[in-house]
Amino acid sequence: MKSEAVLVRKVAVGSFVSLLLLAGCGGGTGPSSINQPTSTGPNPPVPTIQVLFPNCAPAAEPVQLQVVGTNFAASSVVRWNGSARPTTMDAINGLLAQISASDVASAGTAAVTVFNPGPGGGSSNALTFTINSGAVAPQSIAVDPAGKFAYVASGGCGGDASMYTINPTTGALAFIGPPVPTNDEFTDSVTIDPSGKFAYVASSGDVWDIDFGSVVAYTINPTTGALTSTTGGITGTGVNGTPEFFNSVAVDPSGKFAYAADGGAFPAGSFGGDSSVSMYTINSTTGALTSTGMIAAGAGPDSVAVDPAGKFAYVANFGSNDVSMYTIDATTGALASIGTIAAGTSPDSVAVDPASKFAYVANFNSNNVSMYTIDATTGALTFIGSIAAGTNPYSVAVDPEGKFAYVANWTGNDADGSVSMYTIDDTTGVLTPTGTIATELSPTSIAIHPSGKFAYVTNSGSNSVSMYSIDSATGTLTLIGTIGT
């Protein structure tokens, strides 16, 4: 099952309230109306809880719990299984309660209530908070350039980054440790810099708290693969001071520049709807990002890719059904627009082959892949046709030798997805289908190991990663197994 909050961003719902109604863990929906918190003086009546956000978390990870409802006051106290927790008023969301790691030490559920002291007052209705064994709703996976480690960005229950080692012989993943918090909800994308020293996680932020999205920077321990958050993360402010909601992040092959697609949760011009690409330089020692500005993209940019030569960048615009094309200044990293080209309906992922000759775009709502050649001098794309994929193609990837392409097909909430497999004509770039292979529920991302021997698919609905071996002659995938997030 795919997070409904993530799907809202895909369809660019044009109302802040609409997003609030759909946001949450595990695809749950909110109430039919969200009331602002009510401060009723020193003797408030019995409170009512309407929404918890988040309403779930990975085990052993502290939570700042936002409680939305009515009849809240400065004296209101959030109770966790009947015991009071540190509580403050929040002007937008009602109440904020601090839930400790010991409160969520193991998988299970907790009852959340709000208590108003007398006279009057009393306890509210109870809502259930779920504690999961691991990260929820994985959205993206990346493998480091040496093929030793893999990282998964998860979109639910706090937006965590899960870490794995990779067995070089079998390709199997093994947990490094508990997921690392990103401190943002709805984490969308993870990428590794070409040196393998830094990881970057793009987040579309916490809409309940009207928080900015972010790109969080981490250093990678070269021995263990463990991530450590640095002070080099970016919180974005876009057009007219509105928050940015980053859907994707990419690093150029020199490791000097990074780019984030600011598709937003809403249409261009509205709250958080900048429809732009943010540009950064990267500190080669610390991995810290420094903003160098923004450049316009199409409506709802959802994915950004840099060609392996580092000369061009391409952005799939989910809302305007096209691809924005840019040249990259080799000295400054600045992008310069060279126009747009049509794609299918709702393009949400773009990939470039390792020779920088071809580009491929997965089109979520037209169930196909658009194919392009790349002009080596100008970077302009030329459309060479489209080819069928599965239902709701969500992510496209090309193997390191440029022989094969793979598309993860989301298919729908609570449905097993698939991966479409293709061979690539080295001369024309045209894809030829070679079959499909099943995944678990709602696959959202696919990554190929640098050796070309293995492929990994995140399954949003089943909170897992499917692992596959790749036949070097045919490109056919064979399931190795699955691992949780």
Side-chain angles (χ1 to χ4, degrees), residues 163-187:
M163 307 169 290
Y164 306 86
T165 57
I166 301 175
N167 184 305
T169 303
T170 66
L173 303 181
F175 282 110
I176 291 172
V180 175
T182 64
N183 300 317
D184 254 321
E185 304 299 333
F186 309 130
T187 303

Side-chain angles (χ1 to χ4, degrees), residues 250-269:
V251 177
D252 88 305
S254 73
K256 295 161 57 178
F257 313 117
Y259 306 96
D262 176 21
F266 315 99

Side-chain angles (χ1 to χ4, degrees), residues 49 51-61 63 65 67 78-85 97-114 124-132:
I49 302 177
V51 172
L52 303 177
F53 191 80
N55 61 12
C56 56
E61 184 177 304
V63 178
L65 180 63
V67 183
V78 174
R79 289 179 170 179
W80 182 267
N81 287 330
S83 298
R85 292 294 178 264
Q98 305 306 314
I99 308 302
S100 69
S102 61
D103 288 329
V104 292
S106 57
T109 61
V112 176
T113 56
V114 171
S124 72
N125 58 307
L127 292 186
T128 299
F129 188 97
T130 302
I131 303 138
N132 299 284

Side-chain angles (χ1 to χ4, degrees), residues 292-316:
T292 58
M294 302 168 65
I295 189 170
D302 212 22
S303 172
V304 57
V306 177
D307 86 297
K311 296 167 62 178
F312 314 116
Y314 304 97
V315 173

Side-chain angles (χ1 to χ4, degrees), residues 27-377:
T29 57
S32 58
S33 63
I34 301 293
N35 295 322
Q36 290 297 313
T38 303
S39 180
T40 57
N43 300 315
V46 176
T48 299
I49 302 177
Q50 294 175 315
V51 172
L52 303 177
F53 191 80
N55 61 12
C56 56
E61 184 177 304
V63 178
Q64 179 172 268
L65 180 63
Q66 302 172 5
V67 183
V68 178
T70 57
N71 297 329
F72 295 161
S75 58
S76 298
V77 176
V78 174
R79 289 179 170 179
W80 182 267
N81 287 330
S83 298
R85 292 294 178 264
T87 304
T88 56
M89 285 289 290
D90 181 85
I92 296 173
N93 293 317
L95 301 173
L96 297 177
Q98 305 306 314
I99 308 302
S100 69
S102 61
D103 288 329
V104 292
S106 57
T109 61
V112 176
T113 56
V114 171
F115 177 77
N116 286 346
S123 289
S124 72
N125 58 307
L127 292 186
T128 299
F129 188 97
T130 302
I131 303 138
N132 299 284
S133 57
V136 172
Q139 298 298 309
S140 175
I141 184 167
V143 177
D144 84 304
K148 296 167 58 180
F149 311 117
Y151 303 94
V152 171
S154 292
C157 296
D160 298 278
S162 300
M163 307 169 290
Y164 306 86
T165 57
I166 301 175
N167 184 305
T169 303
T170 66
L173 303 181
F175 282 110
I176 291 172
V180 175
T182 64
N183 300 317
D184 254 321
E185 304 299 333
F186 309 130
T187 303
D188 287 74
S189 172
V190 60
T191 192
I192 312 299
D193 86 304
S195 71
K197 295 166 57 179
F198 312 117
Y200 299 95
V201 175
S203 169
S204 50
D206 179 350
V207 295
W208 286 94
D209 207 23
I210 315 185
D211 257 348
F212 291 5
S214 65
V215 179
V216 181
Y218 300 87
T219 57
I220 299 175
N221 184 303
T223 302
T224 66
L227 299 180
T228 300
S229 180
T230 73
T231 57
I234 288 290
T235 296
T237 306
V239 176
N240 299 320
T242 58
E244 293 179 274
F245 292 84
F246 300 113
N247 292 338
S248 172
V249 60
V251 177
D252 88 305
S254 73
K256 295 161 57 178
F257 313 117
Y259 306 96
D262 176 21
F266 315 99
S270 66
F271 179 91
D274 286 323
S275 288
S276 60
V277 181
S278 296
M279 303 172 286
Y280 309 96
T281 57
I282 300 175
N283 184 299
S284 61
T285 302
T286 66
L289 303 178
T290 299
S291 175
T292 58
M294 302 168 65
I295 189 170
D302 212 22
S303 172
V304 57
V306 177
D307 86 297
K311 296 167 62 178
F312 314 116
Y314 304 97
V315 173
N317 301 305
F318 189 88
S320 53
N321 301 327
D322 57 16
V323 178
S324 297
M325 304 173 287
Y326 307 89
T327 57
I328 300 175
D329 186 294
T331 302
T332 67
L335 301 181
S337 176
I338 55 174
T340 62
I341 189 169
T345 306
S346 309
D348 59 354
S349 177
V350 59
V352 179
D353 87 306
S356 301
K357 294 164 59 178
F358 314 117
Y360 303 98
V361 174
N363 301 301
F364 186 81
N365 282 324
S366 55
N367 300 329
N368 62 9
V369 178
S370 298
M371 304 174 287
Y372 307 88
T373 57
I374 301 174
D375 186 295
T377 302

